[in-house]
Structure formats: C-alpha cells, structure tokens
Amino acid sequence: MRNAFGQPQTVLVLGGTSEIAHHVVLQLVRERTTTVVLAGRDKGRLEDAASELREAGATTVETITFDASDPSTAGATIDDAFHAAGGPIDLVLLAVGQLGDQDISDNDPVATIKLFDVNLTWPAAALAALRGRLISQGMGHVAVFSSVAGVRVRRANFTYGATKAGLDALAQGFGDSVRSSGIKVQIVRPGFVRTKMTQGLSEAPFTTDVDQAAETIVKGLSSSATVIWSPPVLQGVFFIMKNLPGFLWRRLPG
Amino acid sequence: MIDATEELLTGWGNTAPSLARVERPRTGSEVEEAFEDMTGPMIPRGLGRSYGDAAQCAGGTVVSNRGLWHLSPIDPETGLVTLGAGVSLEELLAVSIPAGYFVPVTPGTRQVTIGGAIGADIHGKNHHVDGSFTKHVTSMTLATPTGVVTLTQKSDPELFWATAGGMGLTGIITQATLQMIPITTSYVTVDTERFNDLDGVMNAMLSGDDDYRYSVAWVDCMTSGPKMGRGVLTRGDHAPRSALSGRSARKPLVAPSSSMLTVPFTPPSGLLNRLSITAFNEAWFRKAPQRRDGEIQSLGSFFHPLDGVSWWNRLHGHRGFLQYQFVVDDAHGEVIRQAIEVLSAASVPSFLAVLKRFGPADPGPLSFPLKGWTLALDMPIGPPQLADVLDQLDIMVAEAGGRIYLAKDSRLSPELLRAMYPDVQKLEEVRKRIDPKGVLASDLSRRLGLS
C-alpha cells in the first residue's frame, strides 16, 4: 500500500533495464518499497538490476522477460507481473523504449514500424491491460516515461519524438479516464540524461546525470503534478520551444 | 438486500484515496449477511475520523456502521446505556446530557461512532484518571467471519481486548453497552494558565494534573529559542450546580448544538503554510490569559472546540494533511522536547500541538496509551523534507520505548510498528482464531503488514 506521501511498497517496472527507472527504484527502496517486479527483454541484465535492488534492501525482487517489439505480448506480461507481485501493485513505471537511429528510420519502413511497436504500441497495449487490474485493486499509480523529444519533435530524431508524442498524449487521456477511480497517472518528461542509451550522442543543453534525474522524478512522484519535468527548468524552456515560429525552430541546431 | 455503492474513500487527512464497495447494513443480521461468501478484504468504517487509511479497503468492501443505529434509554439505576455501534457521540450526548449523563471518555470531536471509539480505543483529556474508552464498555456484540459473539471483559478477554484499539481487524462491532458518568450540569469549571516555555508547561502538568479530572495543554511548536514550546494549559472538572448563575443555572443540562459553520469546498494547498500557521499560533497564545481560575465553559467548547466548523480538514487543501501523535513514558519525557526541536529545525510547519499526560496503559495489544506523555501535531502534506523527518521521529520514539497512534497514522513502516507494539502477535493470534481465512483487512493493515 502507498502511504500518505504516496511512497509505494510494491513497484512494477516495465522496461526493467531502463537506467533512469532503475535509479528511481533504488531511491524508492530506501523509502518504503520492499517488493519489486522487473519486466524487460534481457534476462541477464534484469538479474543484475535485481541483485542491486536486493543489496539496497528490497526483500522480494522478481524478474520476467518479454519482447516489446511484439505488442501482442503486453497482456500476458501484465498478467505475469501481477502474479509475480503476489498482490496489489502500488506503482507502475512504464519505461519501455528505444532511441532508434534516425538515419536508418528516415528511409526504412521496417525500422520505423519497430520503433513505433516498442515505444508506442506495446506501451499502449500494456496500459489497456493495466487499466482493469488497477481499477479492481482500488488504487494505483502509473508513471509513463515520455520525453521532452515529444513536446516538439526535432528533425534529428523525429521518429523517436513522434512515438513519445503519441505515448504522452495517450498517457494524458488514460490518466483522465481513471482519475475518478483513485488512480494517479503522471507523465515523466526527462531531457537529455547521460545513460547507455544516449552514449556517444552529443549532449543537449540542461543535460543531467541519471542520479539527478531520478531524484527529480522521485520527488515528482509524491507530488500531485500531472507532468514531471527533469530537470524542472525544461518546463519553461519547452514552453518557449513549443511556441517558436517554424522558421526559427528549423534554424535551431539538430 | 444490503445497500451498497462504489466509493473513493480517504481518512480525515484526505491522503491516499482508494476505491471500495461500501455496504450499509441496517441490522445485525444484515452484517452477518455481509460476511456470507465474503473472501475479503473487508473492514468496518464509522464517521471516517481516523486520519489515515484505517477505514479504507482498496479493491475490497468497507462496511459502514452508520446504519446500526439504535439507542435505548439510559438505565437510571446503573448509568448503563446499550446502543448501536453506528451511533455517534454527538447523537448519544444529545440524549444523555438532558438526562444527566456524560460519556466516560471523549476525544476532541463528537463526530465519532461507538464502534470507531472502541476500534481505536480512543482517549480523552481524562486518561490520567479514567483510562481509555473501551475500559468503560461492559459488553459488546461483535460479528466476525466465524460468527457473532457477545463479549464482556471476562467472557473472552483476548478477543475483547484485541478489539479495543484493533482498528476493526477483529470484526464488525454491531452493539455495545457503555457505562456513562452522572453529571449535574453541562458545564465545566476551567482553570487556564499560560507558560512561556515547554518546561513550565510540563512541570505544571506533573505537579498539578492529579487534582483535575480533565487536563490538556496546547503547545506552540513554531517558536524557537527560549520560548520554544510555550503553551496554554487548561484543566477542569464538571461544574456543580452551585457554580452556575443566571441563565445556565435555570437550564443546567443543555446538549451541545451541531456546528453552524462549514468549509464548503477544498481550497488550494498552501493556504496553511509557515507564515499563516505562525501567525495563528501567535494570536492564539496572546489571546490566552496569564492565569484565570474557575471559568465556566460549556461541555462543547471545552471538549470539542473543532466541532464548531464542519469539514475543517479541507482547509489543508487537496494534498491533505496528517497528524503525528506519539507517546513516551515518564522516563523519556525529554523526547517531547527533542521532537519539537527536530520539527522546528527542519522548518516543518505545524499547528498548535496537543500535549497530555496518560495514566496506566490499557490491556489492548494495539491500544495506544502508555503512562507518560503524549504529543499530537497537525501538519500539512507538502514540505519535501516531511517524510524523512517523521521517519526520524519514529526511530526516536521507538528507541525511547514509545509508540505512535494508529488512528492517526498514515505512514508508519511495518518494522517500526512491531518495535512499538511488541504485543501485536496477540492480536494476530486472535485473528487466526476468529478469521482463519484472513477476510478482515484494511489499507492500514496491509501497509503495516499485519496478519
């Protein structure tokens, strides 16, 4: 059960090898979290993350595998996750996603489909599977990992940006639809975070380390904000970006 | 058919809402019906005055006791009254005061049910003299998953006392018999004293509380330095007829009226902040007299000052608030000062704190009081440091052999619950006996890992 501060005891991470989500859970384990279910693609890396969480104090950590490029697996994955948790789940971190490579997806329909499957179709199906589960357990909290890349889509990663824009919109509507059932849905919009996923890419302004991002997100999770920006300054920056006239936006680098 | 709806419920603190099916049985047999085919989870609820998640049951069934409403006349020979568990203290007092009886124990509000009063084993300003509420209950009818039992303190002491402070986890109380106390007026003679620091308040309570049936101090936790913990001590006894004059002498037994004011909606969080709370505490301290003896106050204004405004909890805004109440024994009275220092150093805004002395502990394994000191503080949710600061206080309290009050709790950890309530297994053993399938559970019991 979550407490008056919204601190969860049981957490499910969809995208269990996501570095940002992992650091968020590490901090939650220092608060009240004792049970964690990690769902991801790579069994070995999930087990590594699981043992780190056990060392940090989690008493029960379960891992389950799925392939997000096959959206038909979403329903079964959610079923497995609730089974592994052995009871109600207080917080779901939906952190499934890939960055992709714009140079490839520019001209490759198959790569484009795959990126949409992983970043949007699988998460959409997972939310649909979660909905009834959360309503019948009578409470819940979902944090959907979007990105500032979806707020205004840049030409340098427009396919990725478009998947996140779609996910962001879906999460907002999903949140509104379950609000009266006592389920809290928050959208997490990180900027550029130094992780394996972004290794080798040139850093954007307001880049943060994964620890900083996790700290901002954990703080946001116990707030009533519908969108968690990391770092918080990006809320203002992207308000301006979003409203820039197209001719100026196109002149910005990358 | 039992009346039922789906509802999103919170406690009085408006935190951590959860959705449950709320059933409203009107008779004992409808309560039995509610248990039929029930696999759980399920928990009773009264007027929802517990601050946290004690009367919530996410994804399960919450049984409202408010339909269990019947009230027999008070026996003039014995002062005993038998009533439905859903009757509130306000409803009881409306009948009992004109007949010359008061409840043996009352909290700071009349808006609690008899079932809730037993479930939390509530205490009042007279704990140092009279103990907790359930001590004054001579018998109760309890519906459990394995059947209905009528309990006295002798017939099944384990189940009786596990129910006292058991937060509804032993079943649904449908009816109780309560020993009322005779009064000749509905007034209290009150002595008020103001002190400029915490030591002054605590010394006066140690030396003088035994001379009064009722005693409570309001302490300012937001002033630091030498004036830290300055406070106003009010103590009193039921006024005899000879103390009254004028209109009150002609009508000496008047039931308190229900509140005239209400907070109609929830304003934004942040209305009650460091500035406004400091100003409130200051004004309240200054308005108290240095010393005033023998003032005549009505029962309502002495015991239930907050009942003057309905839904005052909304003033804390949509983020809600919590109350932190702990007790430590006399050997650890310094923890009161340390707790106020920790909160003041962390800049946690807190309304006037209530400081009281408790008498000997009652037998319930989850009953809160211990002989010593109790401090209760209201705090709005919001300051980011609050969760960690309260975790720190929990450790201080547990190390001093003290505990926090579950009727107020919304954030304790399972490990510290067991440190604070070493007899918790007694409740768990009783639960194994009367609820082998584990039907009875609340958000609180699941959060605290109570089996």
Side-chain angles (χ1 to χ4, degrees):
Chain A
M1 285 291 143
R2 67 209 150 120
N3 65 14
F5 296 111
Q7 295 171 329
Q9 291 177 313
T10 304
V11 178
L12 163 63
V13 187
L14 298 168
T17 54
S18 149
E19 270 178 82
I20 304 180
H22 180 61
H23 280 78
V24 167
V25 181
L26 274 175
Q27 295 201 17
L28 294 175
V29 166
R30 276 179 223 126
E31 294 171 352
R32 291 287 189 275
T33 302
T34 50
T35 302
V36 183
V37 180
L38 299 176
R41 188 184 44 188
D42 185 331
K43 186 80 184 165
R45 283 176 59 205
L46 286 174
E47 286 304 331
D48 291 345
S51 38
E52 240 183 280
L53 291 171
R54 284 187 200 104
E55 264 166 48
T59 50
T60 311
V61 186
E62 302 285 341
T63 61
I64 52 180
T65 52
F66 70 93
D67 179 8
S69 61
D70 179 3
S72 69
T73 63
T77 305
I78 298 299
D79 289 345
D80 290 350
F82 274 80
H83 183 73
I89 292 175
D90 301 328
L91 171 66
V92 181
L93 301 177
L94 178 45
V96 175
Q98 282 178 358
L99 201 49
D101 184 334
Q102 193 59 53
D103 288 341
I104 298 173
S105 44
D106 262 351
N107 300 302
D108 182 347
V110 176
T112 299
I113 289 169
K114 188 180 169 202
L115 201 59
F116 268 86
D117 279 348
V118 172
N119 287 4
L120 181 56
T121 314
W122 195 95
L127 285 178
L130 275 169
R131 187 193 166 84
R133 290 263 187 184
L134 296 179
I135 289 175
S136 74
Q137 72 173 22
M139 55 95 213
H141 182 182
V142 185
V144 178
F145 282 61
S146 170
S147 165
V148 295
V151 177
R152 188 162 187 181
V153 174
R154 293 186 305 139
R155 61 181 181 273
N157 64 358
F158 66 84
T159 311
Y160 174 77
T163 63
K164 289 298 188 182
L167 180 63
D168 199 292
L170 184 84
Q172 177 252 311
F174 176 78
D176 290 348
S177 80
V178 292
R179 194 183 166 92
S180 63
S181 305
I183 293 149
K184 174 163 138 181
V185 178
Q186 291 178 302
I187 299 167
V188 182
R189 288 187 194 146
F192 194 102
V193 183
R194 288 183 200 103
T195 61
K196 271 189 225 103
M197 187 167 104
T198 60
Q199 224 166 28
L201 298 176
S202 54
E203 290 187 1
F206 309 108
T207 291
T208 58
D209 281 324
V210 69
D211 278 339
Q212 280 168 282
E215 198 173 307
T216 306
I217 293 165
V218 169
K219 204 184 273 180
L221 290 174
S222 34
S223 78
S224 53
T226 46
V227 179
I228 301 169
W229 298 83
S230 165
V233 63
L234 289 181
Q235 177 169 16
V237 171
F238 273 85
F239 179 78
I240 296 165
M241 293 295 184
K242 210 177 156 174
N243 291 292
L244 275 187
F247 71 90
L248 280 177
W249 173 252
R250 282 186 293 273
R251 281 174 194 218
L252 291 180
Chain B
M1 262 311 273
I2 307 170
D3 177 46
T5 47
E6 290 277 308
E7 281 181 43
L8 197 56
L9 299 171
T10 68
W12 191 240
N14 281 328
T15 53
S18 66
L19 192 69
R21 177 184 156 85
V22 179
E23 295 193 352
R24 295 178 195 78
R26 282 155 303 181
T27 59
S29 56
E30 281 196 347
V31 175
E32 285 179 71
E33 198 184 308
F35 273 113
E36 275 166 30
D37 310 318
M38 178 63 69
T39 53
M42 170 165 158
I43 200 74
R45 180 179 176 101
L47 281 161
R49 252 54 174 193
S50 279
Y51 283 66
D53 46 8
Q56 290 170 230
C57 189
T61 305
V62 169
V63 179
S64 166
N65 70 7
R66 286 290 278 157
L68 304 169
W69 207 104
H70 60 86
L71 186 50
S72 326
I74 299 158
D75 184 330
E77 299 282 307
T78 59
L80 289 170
V81 62
T82 296
L83 67 178
V87 176
S88 73
L89 292 193
E90 174 155 285
E91 291 154 354
L92 171 59
L93 290 171
V95 177
S96 78
I97 289 176
Y101 288 98
F102 194 59
V103 285
V105 169
T106 177
T109 172
R110 296 184 294 272
Q111 308 303 330
V112 297
T113 64
I114 299 299
I118 298 170
D121 200 17
I122 59 169
H123 56 267
K125 298 178 182 189
N126 56 339
H127 191 277
H128 60 293
V129 177
D130 295 318
S132 302
F133 189 86
T134 317
K135 206 173 145 186
H136 308 275
V137 172
T138 58
S139 87
M140 60 174 131
T141 308
L142 183 71
T144 74
T146 43
V148 179
V149 277
T150 298
L151 295 169
T152 65
Q153 303 187 10
K154 296 242 169 69
S155 70
D156 185 346
E158 287 79 25
L159 182 53
F160 185 94
W161 291 114
T163 303
M167 308 309 289
L169 294 166
T170 59
I172 297 165
I173 301 164
T174 56
Q175 166 178 306
T177 302
L178 182 64
Q179 177 69 61
M180 301 291 281
I181 60 167
I183 50 172
T184 55
T185 73
S186 56
Y187 295 88
V188 184
T189 52
V190 183
D191 293 352
T192 304
E193 271 183 275
R194 199 172 88 172
F195 298 90
N196 285 322
D197 60 28
L198 185 64
D199 284 342
V201 184
M202 290 177 76
N203 288 334
M205 293 174 85
L206 272 177
S207 61
D209 267 14
D210 289 347
D211 301 339
Y212 296 89
R213 184 165 199 166
Y214 301 105
S215 166
V216 70
W218 300 75
V219 175
D220 179 2
C221 293
M222 295 206 43
T223 308
S224 47
K227 285 185 180 169
M228 197 200 79
R230 63 184 178 169
V232 178
L233 175 58
T234 57
R235 298 187 283 199
D237 279 291
H238 291 284
R241 291 228 170 150
S242 58
L244 305 183
S245 60
R247 200 167 150 260
S248 54
R250 286 194 299 278
K251 281 186 82 181
L253 288 166
V254 187
S257 50
S258 35
S259 63
M260 307 294 283
L261 296 170
T262 189
V263 179
F265 62 92
T266 305
S269 279
L271 187 67
L272 299 183
N273 53 34
R274 265 189 82 72
L275 273 179
S276 61
I277 294 178
T278 306
F280 174 87
N281 288 5
E282 183 73 34
W284 161 89
F285 184 78
R286 284 176 185 276
K287 107 178 192 319
Q290 197 74 47
R291 185 181 179 108
R292 180 169 57 203
D293 284 350
E295 183 194 2
I296 301 292
Q297 285 187 10
S298 69
L299 289 171
S301 65
F302 182 69
F303 287 107
H304 313 120
L306 286 172
D307 282 356
V309 184
S310 302
W311 300 107
W312 60 265
N313 58 332
R314 289 176 178 162
L315 288 175
H316 281 280
H318 66 274
R319 283 199 295 252
F321 74 112
L322 57 82
Q323 190 176 88
Y324 191 81
Q325 182 171 5
F326 68 93
V327 59
V328 285
D329 65 16
D330 282 318
H332 295 87
E334 79 281 356
V335 176
I336 300 288
R337 167 176 294 279
Q338 288 162 0
I340 298 175
E341 279 169 359
V342 166
L343 290 167
S344 157
S347 297
V348 170
S350 158
F351 257 104
L352 297 171
V354 175
L355 179 67
K356 254 207 56 61
R357 290 196 49 69
F358 277 156
D362 305 276
L366 255 69
S367 180
F368 168 62
L370 290 176
K371 185 164 169 41
W373 297 97
T374 182
L375 185 72
L377 310 111
D378 277 2
M379 297 171 239
I381 301 273
Q385 71 278 26
L386 187 57
D388 290 344
V389 169
L390 295 181
D391 283 351
Q392 201 183 322
L393 288 190
D394 286 347
I395 293 170
M396 277 170 52
V397 168
E399 280 176 353
R403 49 174 65 150
I404 72 163
Y405 190 12
L406 296 184
K408 309 287 177 71
D409 176 52
S410 54
R411 29 100 13 231
L412 185 65
S413 69
E415 300 77 41
L416 284 177
L417 170 85
R418 280 171 200 273
M420 292 175 175
Y421 288 92
D423 287 344
V424 68
Q425 300 108 300
K426 286 190 190 165
L427 170 81
E428 292 178 333
E429 278 157 26
V430 166
R431 276 164 57 76
K432 239 176 261 162
R433 165 157 67 96
I434 54 105
D435 183 16
K437 289 185 192 147
V439 170
L440 294 159
S442 61
D443 287 1
L444 177 134
S445 76
R446 290 181 282 180
R447 174 169 59 78
L448 293 175
L450 279 163
S451 59

